[in-house]
């Protein structure tokens, strides 16, 4: 019985405190508005709101994609990335783009005209492999985070020696703090899983290093003008 009474008293005190705080804020805003006039009062209120919600605003600004008279568009919070290569070498979607496929098909047919079977096979295999490499890197780039690109660049500078896991953990903590609260639920292993699954890095018990694939992915980014400025 006493516990119930104490609980009711605590709730009553909490509600009274909230009401008193709200009334104080109302009186403060009214005093500012009446005493300083709307331009100065609005500026002060704006500064107060910026101070109160600075962390939320800091998290929103990097996600803004476009700003205009109709408002602004924002990037969605980071989602789990596909860490495996499964399904990337499927048959081409011929039915989705029949016209362009027909044009390219005729161009390839003309290129192998006059070649014997062995030459045509070598040409087609090399051509297919080359395009699949580009598609592979495009797929990675469409899903990779900005922080993962920065990690690849840092590992690329270290060369074969790589980076101690302890240092990688410190880099991860700083990166996660930068994008809090969006990355609060992420862990470093999940962040690295995409890079490991795409064979861009290798991870042992005490070190992380870039692979030849990771090095060539950075070369591809530079050659084809891909920006390192990616979300997260």
């Amino acid at each position: 019985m006493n516990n119930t009474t104490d609980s009711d008293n605590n709730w009553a005190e909490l509600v009274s405190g909230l009401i008193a705080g709200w009334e104080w804020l109302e009186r403060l805003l009214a005093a500012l508005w009446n005493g300083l006039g709307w331009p100065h009062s609005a500026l002060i209120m704006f500064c107060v709101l910026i101070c109160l919600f600075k962390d939320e605003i800091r998290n929103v600004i990097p996600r803004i994609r476009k700003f205009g008279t109709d408002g602004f568009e924002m990037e969605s919070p980071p989602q789990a990335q596909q860490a495996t290569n499964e399904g990337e070498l499927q048959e081409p979607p011929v039915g989705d783009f029949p016209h362009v496929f027909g044009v390219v098909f005729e161009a390839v047919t003309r290129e192998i005209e006059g070649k014997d079977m062995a030459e045509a096979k070598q040409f087609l295999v090399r051509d297919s492999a080359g395009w699949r490499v580009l598609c592979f890197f495009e797929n990675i780039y469409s899903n990779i985070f900005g922080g993962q690109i920065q990690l690849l660049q840092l590992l690329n500078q270290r060369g074969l020696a790589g980076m101690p896991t302890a240092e990688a953990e410190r880099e991860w903590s700083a990166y996660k703090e930068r994008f809090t609260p969006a990355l609060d639920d992420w862990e470093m292993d999940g962040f690295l899983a995409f890079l490991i699954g795409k064979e861009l890095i290798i991870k042992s018990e005490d070190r992380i290093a870039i692979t030849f694939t990771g090095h060539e992915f950075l070369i591809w980014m530079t050659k084809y003008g891909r920006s390192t400025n990616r979300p997260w």
Side-chain angles (χ1 to χ4, degrees), residues 16 22 29 33 93 143 169 184 213:
S16 298
W22 180 256
L29 295 178
W33 192 271
N143 291 282
E169 290 173 348
D184 286 353
T213 302

Side-chain angles (χ1 to χ4, degrees), residues 127-145:
D127 186 70
S128 177
W131 284 111
R132 290 190 183 209
V133 169
L134 297 181
C135 289
F136 176 67
F137 285 153
E138 285 284 3
N139 177 267
I140 291 175
Y141 186 75
S142 66
N143 291 282
I144 200 169
F145 295 160

